[in-house]
Every structure is written in structure tokens, then in C-alpha cells.
Amino acid sequence: MASLNKVFLIGNLTRDPELRYVPSGTAVGAFGMATNRNFVTQSGEKKQETCFIRIVVWGKQAEACNQYLKKGSLVFVEGRLQFRSWTTQDGQKKSTIEVRADRVQFLGRPRAAGQASDAGQASDAGPDHLDTYQDEDSSGISSGAPANPKKNSEDSFLSDDINSQIDENMT
């Protein structure tokens, strides 16, 4: 029986990317993405549907997304759907379906590292228009990542429960 798990999306980030590091030093990032679908109903009314998707990126690609993307950035994502489940500290079972990005292509002008996130500012620093960051095999990822990852908030994409699940998947 044939099967295919491939996703192609173009949309805007709904929030700034979040970057963490697993204990092995591998970077893992996440961001929300919104895609729109415009259509006309049978009665002739124009409508728009918005779909919100969670994107997870790994390795140098995650670091590049964190450095150059911000809320509102337009990106093309190629990847696959991934199902994950975990148990919270209070014993609740949780699950999610997200896109595991194999490739992220920047479709707009990215911000320079440390640049203010004013929507009107254009940057000449950073990758050129339409740069692509492709996922690396885990054997090709450097382990020279910082030991203390950025602390995330309660509404973080990468909760400690999810990080423990990621840690288990890495071994």
C-alpha cells in the first residue's frame, strides 16, 4: 500500500520563532504559521479561511529561522506531518499534529540579527531574498550549542513536557 506524507505551505509567522537546545546541543525551534484560503460561496459571497499551523525546525535551520524571521514574515515550508503524544506532569495525556520542516524558504526580506522588529524597517543584512535553509541529518549537526537555552514562557511552543518528549526521540 502506497503512502505519502508531504506538506507544502506558504504563509506568515503568527509569532516570533522560539529556539531551544536539547541536552545533546541540537537546536530545535518552533513557530506558528497562518495560511489563507480565498474562495467564493455558491451564493457569490467572497470568503477567506485561515488555518493556523505549528511548525517545528531542527539544527542550523532552527537557528537561522530564529535569527532572521519574526512575526509576520512570509515563508515557504516543505516538510511532513508529525504526530506526537506525551503525558503532562499532572498525568494528563496530550497529543498534537504539527509540521516537521525539512526546508524553510524566506520569501520576504529577513531582519538582521538583533534588529528591532518594526514592520516598516527593511534590512540589508542577513540572507538575500528567497534564501533557503534545509534540514540536516542529525549526524551533520554541530554540538557546539549554548548550554543554557533561552527560558520560555508558560504559553511557549516548546513546553518542558514537549522537550522531554523531544529528548526521548533524540536517543
Side-chain angles (χ1 to χ4, degrees), residues 7-144:
V7 176
F8 299 96
L9 301 166
I10 295 177
N12 298 90
L13 271 65
T14 59
R15 62 196 294 175
D16 288 347
E18 180 181 318
L19 182 68
R20 301 275 309 257
Y21 292 90
V22 295
S24 68
T26 303
V28 59
F31 57 86
M33 182 175 172
T35 61
N36 295 317
R37 176 178 163 263
N38 296 311
F39 61 97
V40 178
T41 65
Q42 287 182 340
S43 63
E45 181 184 0
K46 291 182 180 181
K47 290 213 168 196
Q48 182 180 62
E49 280 182 350
T50 302
C51 184
F52 298 95
I53 305 116
R54 176 187 156 96
I55 310 294
V56 176
V57 295
W58 288 82
K60 290 182 181 181
Q61 174 180 235
E63 292 170 338
C65 288
N66 186 64
Q67 183 176 3
Y68 295 111
L69 297 177
K70 64 177 182 170
K71 180 179 179 176
S73 295
L74 183 64
V75 294
F76 167 79
V77 173
E78 179 182 345
R80 61 185 167 85
L81 292 176
Q82 176 175 281
F83 175 81
R84 289 188 301 104
S85 63
W86 68 97
T87 304
T88 63
Q89 290 178 345
D90 61 355
Q92 276 190 315
K93 291 186 178 188
K94 300 252 181 172
S95 64
T96 188
I97 294 178
E98 58 201 7
V99 173
R100 170 35 162 105
D102 295 322
R103 186 171 71 130
V104 176
Q105 188 169 355
F106 303 163
L107 298 179
R109 291 297 298 172
R111 70 176 187 204
Q115 177 181 346
S117 59
D118 292 344
Q121 286 186 342
S123 168
D124 291 329
D128 290 333
H129 183 70
L130 299 178
D131 269 0
T132 299
Y133 288 86
Q134 192 148 351
D135 193 25
E136 295 182 20
D137 185 284
S138 60
S139 63
I141 296 174
S142 167
S143 62

